[in-house]
Amino acid sequence: MKTYEQINGRIESGKAVVLTADEIMDYVDKKGLTAAAEEVDVVTTATFGTMCSSGCFLNFGHSKPKIRMSEAWIADVLVYTGIAAVDVYLGATQLRHGDPANMYPPGEFRYGGGHVIEDLVAGKKLQLFALSYVTDCYPLREIRTYFSIEDLNQATMVNPRNCYQNYNVAINCSDETIYTYMGQLEANQKNVNYSSAGQLSPLLNDPYYETIGVGTRVWLAGAHGHVYSEGTQHASGCERTPGGVPTGGAGTLAMTADMKQMRKEFVRGVSLRGYGVSLALGIGVPIPILNEDILKRTCVRDRDILAPVIDYGNDYPQNTGKTVCQVNYEQLRSGEIEIKGKKVQVGSMSSYYKALEIANLLADEIRRGDFYLTRPIAAMPKDSGMKPLLKREQE
Amino acid sequence: MSETITRKLMLYFPKCECEKPIIYHLVKDYDLIVNIFRAKVTPEEEGYLVLDVTGTEEQIQASIDFVKTFNVTVNFSGKGVTRDNDRCTHCGYCVPYCPTDALIITNGATREVIYNEDECIECLACVRVCPFGACTAAF
């Protein structure tokens, strides 16, 4: 048994033993659970993938004379201005003005909110164009100017849903190619795409949210941020394997961090042909090894994690709730799985390579004493469900 | 008899050279086997061509010298499709779409996506599917 204080004490003295979730299983196999739980202080987990529910609040400061922005665009991408005068929210999936979207399908979706966020973090100069309906206190009618992230008072990433605990594997059982947020899916079950870091993924290593909760310090694209809430659609009351691993989406995290501290290689605009734009993010979450049970759950392997194969040609869009079958991540990573006796090629939307890089970067930061662990100030809901949207007539 | 080898070349034809049957001479006069992957003539009448040539080292060298007399630029390393290593996130999304395994994960532990240019047949599938715009076509 260890406490957060003891672990942080060992980090401070430079003696913390930190392993990645990729290394811990073999370590525990070699040392035994009890000895390893004594010895290991932290296991680092990570993921890198497309996370659509991401965005940022930006504050521009005041022009002379002042403006109360009622409509605004950054690099021609619309931002939300229904908050204070020069605060805006920029969402990852907002498409650039004038993009033909899927007018001539499949559209290319070259630039949008995610790309603006990437360009901001990369330090590029971008155009701000804003209009106002004019008030006595804010007389300026419009402004067109150029700014970089350094010019902003605050650039705070606030993501309502990141780090899905597990995720669907997408297949297409229809007889036409389809273009989805899970990529291009060929007709007649020719390929599948998955999107999870599997055994390295944060919530798959802490399936019951014992250490990850509201207030947990996280590594968000290189910045030190924190979990501010359970993520939207957090549905922890789901089916689980005997080891506690959810067999579907399940938990999610809402997180925030200062964009000025982020590294551009972990904040990347995404263009999904025929679907839209988004943002890929790199996230690292440390798990304090407080006891043997917590350590045991970080030893989860790809072969122990099941994901549902869902037909995006019919069942997903029609919300039928049907599953084609279940597969594990070891099978997925082999590059080929068998479905209904037929060999199907596998692609990944999530980068294990980058996730591994992040888990190692975070482990190094902890070993150097640059990153400390926090005890959550509130736990994540343990048994929440997910409600559907009902179509009702007006009463 | 020298050993037969295959080399991949990208040729750029300036406007004035586009109407000359240069590839015909590679076959007829230099006895080369040619396999054209991709060719394009722009509205400005410039031409691009990516091809494999198979023959002896001497035949290939002589043919390149011949091609160069037409003001044609021969590029040995820069192929028609390039992968920007900074933009690639190694997600592996492109891998199943690549018909020749030019884009492939060989190390199951790191899951790095390798791009083997020599295997690329310039189908441009990766250019279309990459969510990060890591793969681009020269023409």
Side-chain angles (χ1 to χ4, degrees), chain B residues 72-134:
Chain B
V72 170
T73 308
V74 183
N75 196 339
F76 302 96
S77 56
K79 307 299 191 297
V81 174
T82 47
R83 196 251 320 245
D84 181 338
N85 286 324
D86 287 336
R87 290 215 63 79
C88 177
T89 68
H90 302 276
C91 61
Y93 176 55
C94 56
V95 171
Y97 301 100
C98 178
T100 57
D101 292 338
L103 290 157
I104 191 167
I105 294 169
T106 53
N107 182 338
T110 67
R111 302 200 65 75
E112 183 179 4
V113 177
I114 307 291
Y115 176 41
N116 187 354
E117 290 185 331
D118 291 339
E119 301 299 324
C120 174
I121 54 163
E122 311 244 337
C123 71
L124 308 187
C126 56
V127 176
R128 278 190 294 271
V129 301
C130 178
F132 300 99

Side-chain angles (χ1 to χ4, degrees), chain A residues 106 170-172 177-187 190-193 272-275 349, chain B residues 93 96-97 125 128-130:
Chain A
I171 196 166
N172 173 16
T177 299
I178 59 170
Y179 300 87
T180 74
Y181 71 88
M182 289 297 285
Q184 182 176 329
L185 298 167
E186 307 298 332
K190 200 159 163 261
N191 67 320
V192 298
N193 287 324
L272 287 165
R273 203 168 136 83
Y275 176 75
M349 307 290 292
Chain B
Y93 176 55
Y97 301 100
R128 278 190 294 271
V129 301
C130 178

Side-chain angles (χ1 to χ4, degrees), chain B residues 6-119:
Chain B
T6 299
R7 294 186 79 173
K8 194 172 177 187
L9 306 174
M10 183 166 94
L11 308 182
Y12 166 71
F13 298 74
K15 183 174 176 172
C16 51
E17 307 296 345
C18 246
E19 290 177 11
K20 293 179 181 146
I22 293 172
I23 302 304
Y24 164 83
H25 289 290
L26 297 188
V27 179
K28 185 84 176 163
D29 303 344
Y30 296 90
D31 206 20
L32 294 176
I33 298 166
V34 302
N35 184 15
I36 297 173
F37 294 119
R38 207 154 60 90
K40 182 180 182 179
V41 177
T42 69
E44 291 76 34
E45 294 174 55
E46 295 165 315
Y48 295 88
L49 187 64
V50 178
L51 74 168
D52 263 355
V53 291
T54 303
T56 65
E57 181 76 52
E58 295 75 28
Q59 285 170 328
I60 292 174
Q61 194 48 55
S63 74
I64 289 167
D65 293 341
F66 160 75
V67 166
K68 282 181 174 168
T69 63
F70 291 94
N71 217 4
V72 170
T73 308
V74 183
N75 196 339
F76 302 96
S77 56
K79 307 299 191 297
V81 174
T82 47
R83 196 251 320 245
D84 181 338
N85 286 324
D86 287 336
R87 290 215 63 79
C88 177
T89 68
H90 302 276
C91 61
Y93 176 55
C94 56
V95 171
Y97 301 100
C98 178
T100 57
D101 292 338
L103 290 157
I104 191 167
I105 294 169
T106 53
N107 182 338
T110 67
R111 302 200 65 75
E112 183 179 4
V113 177
I114 307 291
Y115 176 41
N116 187 354
E117 290 185 331
D118 291 339
E119 301 299 324

Side-chain angles (χ1 to χ4, degrees), chain A residues 9-263:
Chain A
R10 290 181 41 149
I11 295 172
E12 195 171 9
S13 61
K15 288 181 187 151
V17 177
V18 188
L19 277 88
T20 67
D22 186 76
E23 299 163 332
I24 192 67
M25 313 79 128
D26 289 344
Y27 192 82
V28 168
D29 281 352
K30 201 173 75 188
K31 294 263 175 170
L33 189 67
T34 310
E38 274 302 306
E39 205 178 321
V40 178
D41 297 297
V42 184
V43 170
T44 59
T45 67
T47 184
F48 180 96
T50 303
M51 304 191 200
C52 289
S53 242
S54 299
C56 55
F57 285 102
L58 308 174
N59 176 281
F60 288 99
H62 285 286
S63 54
K64 202 171 174 179
K66 290 182 178 177
I67 185 168
R68 185 258 167 280
M69 299 177 186
S70 52
E71 286 170 279
W73 295 259
I74 299 172
D76 292 331
V77 176
L78 184 70
V79 294
Y80 180 74
T81 52
I83 40 181
V86 289
D87 280 341
V88 303
Y89 186 79
L90 166 64
T93 68
Q94 186 69 49
L95 201 49
R96 177 165 57 184
H97 177 75
D99 190 295
N102 262 338
M103 182 89 81
Y104 308 101
E108 289 188 24
F109 299 96
R110 287 198 186 172
Y111 195 86
H115 300 87
V116 175
I117 293 171
E118 174 183 333
D119 285 347
L120 279 172
V121 170
K124 289 190 184 165
K125 270 218 150 48
L126 299 173
Q127 177 188 257
L128 166 72
F129 178 61
L131 300 171
S132 169
Y133 51 73
V134 174
T135 71
D136 291 338
C137 45
Y138 295 109
L140 194 64
R141 188 166 293 280
E142 70 172 71
I143 188 166
R144 189 185 299 273
T145 183
Y146 296 84
F147 73 99
S148 71
I149 194 166
E150 289 307 314
D151 299 317
L152 300 172
N153 291 308
Q154 282 77 28
T156 311
M157 188 171 275
V158 178
N159 303 337
R161 181 167 72 252
N162 286 164
C163 291
Y164 241 120
Q165 193 158 15
N166 196 349
Y167 212 75
N168 297 343
V169 178
I171 196 166
N172 173 16
C173 302
S174 79
D175 52 13
E176 274 179 36
T177 299
I178 59 170
Y179 300 87
T180 74
Y181 71 88
M182 289 297 285
Q184 182 176 329
L185 298 167
E186 307 298 332
N188 304 315
Q189 311 170 54
K190 200 159 163 261
N191 67 320
V192 298
N193 287 324
Y194 70 98
S195 186
S196 173
Q199 64 191 17
L200 203 48
S201 191
L203 291 178
L204 286 171
N205 283 280
D206 183 12
Y208 294 118
Y209 328 108
E210 289 169 288
T211 70
I212 304 173
V214 179
T216 295
R217 205 107 185 101
V218 297
W219 190 100
L220 180 47
H224 295 176
H226 63 270
V227 173
Y228 70 81
S229 162
E230 85 264 27
T232 52
Q233 295 182 21
H234 177 82
S236 46
C238 57
E239 258 183 54
R240 289 169 188 262
T241 64
V245 179
T247 54
T252 66
L253 299 173
M255 50 180 70
T256 179
D258 180 5
M259 254 165 66
K260 294 190 184 192
Q261 308 301 323
M262 290 184 181
R263 291 171 53 175

